[in-house]
Amino acid sequence: MTEIQHQSDDERRLAELGYKQDLARSWSGFSNFAISFTVVSILTGGLASYGIGLANGGPITMAWGWPLVSVMVLFVGLAMAELASAYPTSGGLYWWASELGGPIWGWFTGWFNLIGQIAVTAAIDYGAAIFTTVVLNVIGLDIGTDRTAIFLVFAAILVLHAVLNAIGPHLSAVINNVSAWWHVGGVAVFVLVLGIGAQHHQSVGFVFTKTVDNSAVGFGGVAFSFLLGLLHAQYTFTGYDASAHMSEETHDASRTAAKGIINTIVVSAIAGYLLIMAVTFAIPNLDDSLDPTKNSGYPVIYILQNSLNSFWSGLLLIIAAAAQLFCGYASVTSASRMLYAFARDGAVPGSALWSKLSARRVPVNAVLFISVFAFILLIPSMLVPAVNAPTAYAAATSVATIGLYIAYGIPILLRQLHGSRFHTGPWQLGRWYRPIGVIAIIWIVFISLLFILPTDDHGYPWVDGFTWNAVNYAPITLVGVVGAIAVWWFVSARKWFTGPKRNVPEPPEAEAPVGA
């Protein structure tokens, strides 16, 4: 029998796309879902960025904003799932854009995705450091909660995640499987404890109608503030592209990667809403929860510690901190596979180094790359006096959200332009691809413009009380990095970057793409 006949369906499809099976294909469909569910991590984004939503719009942002974002994200996820089914490669978004639009589209999509992956890893692990620091102090390790303590814990977490990722893909699958159940169980514990044990519960009217106007831009009022607060939910719903990036390590990837994306969004939407509603109903005092002199910039921690006794608040903080550690670990895994695939095609300086696999078939150098640059991104939180911990976290969430969603949007747009010429995989949208894709693109454009604005009224230069602590550094970061990438493309990269490079020979009688 020929080598092609010995290949599994997954390996055969990967060969048709141009790659040999270098990564270990050992993941089940549940593991593929688990990594996206873990990176989305409602116990991470839903809690660590809760203050962004509460300060912008107030309780109504939680009650109405989360369902709104959930529905819109589902449109994005459906469009991405169809692409993941057609092209099950670790390159994911970058590969899709290159195939559908050519090298220039793949170049910019890949870099937006990589920037977003680094930023989301930084934001996740920084949020984990905030909660972990509180937990360490609660259990008696008095290390303080200032930004120096948070940054040192952040660095230690990044090292831990790099080391664990280097061990091997089987451990990654096990950890993410455990994490999925930890998140489901953790949400159940949060809802029960806050529902039964909170010392005070707000009314339904408070949760669904109470507003906070923090826009201060001369128009829009509460409505505009509410829109700014959507960053809370939108940031939480990032990272489900992990299912696509793990395609080359997943069995039956052309189906399970698509299902992993959709199931992650649906489960996270439902469980996440239960979680944030439980927290919002347990708010002891809204003004105090929003007062940085009382909440240290993190309303959820204030709410837990002032709504429950020390045992229960400590337990919930431990559950949240552990979930956030799981989340950061999974984010490094996903980001390293994206970088590995991007470097495999020569798009990153030092590509041979970042696409190299260890004896255990892990891109260890790519793991180190992601960890080091996530660390570098948040150095200002330590060294620049004007950048406090909440400001650094908000900037990282904005960069992550905008970078990732632009990367999500480009291949969706290109798929729309291909229309009926697009060869679908076994999981497809049929004739619904058009309205679903159009809605997804409109939403991505909207949030990308919205989230470059400050989420605090004192971040606008024309407002009395302006402070650099409240400035949104996301547009500054994005313009600088994307500008450099654009210059690099037009000066140099367009001359040598040709998109995906086959590392297997073209079969003499290549089969038509799946679903053609």
Side-chain angles (χ1 to χ4, degrees):
M1 297 178 70
T2 66
E3 182 179 348
I4 293 293
Q5 289 174 312
H6 280 294
Q7 291 177 328
S8 68
D9 290 341
D10 286 308
E11 292 172 324
R12 189 177 302 111
R13 180 57 182 142
L14 186 60
E16 290 171 1
L17 297 175
Y19 303 108
K20 60 183 178 178
Q21 186 68 54
D22 288 326
L23 295 167
R25 195 176 289 274
S26 59
W27 283 38
S28 66
F30 180 80
S31 296
N32 185 278
F33 155 77
I35 190 170
S36 280
F37 185 57
T38 297
V39 177
V40 169
S41 183
I42 49 183
L43 286 167
T44 299
L47 298 181
S49 65
Y50 183 90
I52 295 173
L54 192 64
N56 294 278
I60 65 163
T61 303
M62 307 305 165
W64 302 106
W66 186 277
L68 170 63
V69 171
S70 298
V71 171
M72 302 311 294
V73 166
L74 185 57
F75 282 104
V76 178
L78 287 167
M80 287 175 60
E82 185 177 53
L83 288 159
S85 178
Y87 307 126
T89 71
S90 293
L93 317 169
Y94 144 73
W95 204 98
W96 309 341
S98 297
E99 175 71 8
L100 297 173
I104 186 171
W105 290 100
W107 173 266
F108 282 95
T109 300
W111 279 105
F112 270 114
N113 196 198
L114 183 56
I115 292 165
Q117 292 275 3
I118 293 170
V120 80
T121 300
I124 290 166
D125 275 356
Y126 198 77
I130 292 167
F131 275 73
T132 301
T133 302
V134 173
V135 168
L136 292 175
N137 283 278
V138 166
I139 65 176
L141 298 177
D142 190 13
I143 64 171
T145 56
D146 59 12
R147 66 178 184 172
T148 300
I150 291 171
F151 191 82
L152 292 176
V153 173
F154 165 67
I157 290 172
L158 280 172
V159 171
L160 173 65
H161 288 159
V163 171
L164 289 175
N165 264 284
I167 293 175
H170 179 69
L171 177 63
S172 294
V174 171
I175 289 177
N176 285 298
N177 289 351
V178 172
S179 171
W181 292 111
W182 181 274
H183 276 79
V184 172
V187 169
V189 173
F190 258 84
V191 172
L192 288 173
V193 170
L194 289 173
I196 298 172
Q199 298 170 9
H200 176 76
H201 288 104
Q202 296 289 349
S203 67
V204 172
F206 171 90
V207 172
F208 284 88
T209 63
K210 182 66 177 177
T211 62
V212 173
D213 182 5
N214 199 30
S215 59
V217 293
F219 63 88
V222 171
F224 189 76
S225 192
F226 168 82
L227 292 177
L228 294 176
L230 295 180
L231 177 60
H232 162 242
Q234 194 70 54
Y235 161 67
T236 303
F237 283 104
T238 55
Y240 46 86
D241 54 319
S243 288
H245 296 309
M246 301 308 295
S247 291
E248 292 181 33
E249 295 167 72
T250 303
H251 294 293
D252 195 18
S254 60
R255 291 178 176 83
T256 54
K259 293 177 181 178
I261 292 171
I262 300 306
N263 291 338
T264 290
I265 295 170
V266 172
V267 175
S268 297
I270 296 170
Y273 194 55
L274 293 174
L275 173 67
I276 64 169
M277 284 293 95
V279 173
T280 305
F281 271 106
I283 293 174
N285 181 280
L286 182 59
D287 291 335
D288 289 346
S289 298
L290 292 170
D291 187 346
T293 64
K294 296 181 180 180
N295 68 18
S296 301
Y298 312 108
V300 166
I301 295 174
Y302 172 86
I303 292 168
L304 295 181
Q305 292 181 333
N306 288 273
S307 296
L308 301 166
N309 62 37
S310 59
F311 171 81
W312 289 112
S313 65
L315 175 64
L316 296 189
L317 286 170
I318 290 171
I319 290 173
Q324 291 169 24
L325 292 174
F326 280 128
C327 178
Y329 171 82
S331 183
V332 172
T333 306
S334 173
S336 66
R337 270 44 172 197
M338 184 273 152
L339 172 60
Y340 159 80
F342 203 31
R344 178 173 60 184
D345 292 325
V348 184
S351 288
L353 183 63
W354 314 124
S355 60
K356 183 179 180 181
L357 297 177
S358 69
R360 298 184 179 184
R361 302 167 79 179
V362 175
V364 173
N365 294 333
V367 168
L368 295 176
F369 179 105
I370 296 298
S371 301
V372 168
F373 277 92
F375 174 82
I376 291 172
L377 182 63
L378 285 178
I379 286 178
S381 73
M382 179 69 177
L383 299 180
V384 181
V387 182
N388 58 23
T391 302
Y393 179 75
T397 60
S398 294
V399 172
T401 304
I402 296 170
L404 287 174
Y405 271 91
I406 290 176
Y408 296 173
I410 291 174
I412 294 174
L413 172 63
L414 294 172
R415 189 267 179 268
Q416 291 288 307
L417 296 177
H418 269 247
S420 60
R421 293 179 293 125
F422 177 77
H423 295 296
T424 60
W427 195 100
Q428 56 184 284
L429 296 172
R431 61 189 177 86
W432 290 101
Y433 84 89
R434 181 72 75 188
I436 288 172
V438 169
I439 293 171
I441 292 166
I442 292 172
W443 181 251
I444 289 170
V445 171
F446 172 69
I447 62 171
S448 297
L449 295 174
L450 182 66
F451 295 153
I452 64 173
L453 300 174
T455 57
D456 187 296
D457 56 347
H458 295 118
Y460 296 93
W462 58 84
V463 173
D464 289 339
F466 167 78
T467 172
W468 284 101
N469 280 349
V471 169
N472 186 348
Y473 291 90
I476 300 172
T477 303
L478 286 167
V479 168
V481 174
V482 174
I485 292 167
V487 170
W488 186 12
W489 170 260
F490 288 107
V491 171
S492 174
R494 64 188 178 91
K495 301 174 184 177
W496 49 262
F497 180 72
T498 58
K501 298 179 180 179
R502 297 186 67 89
N503 62 19
V504 296
E506 191 85 40
E509 295 182 4
E511 297 177 10
V514 174

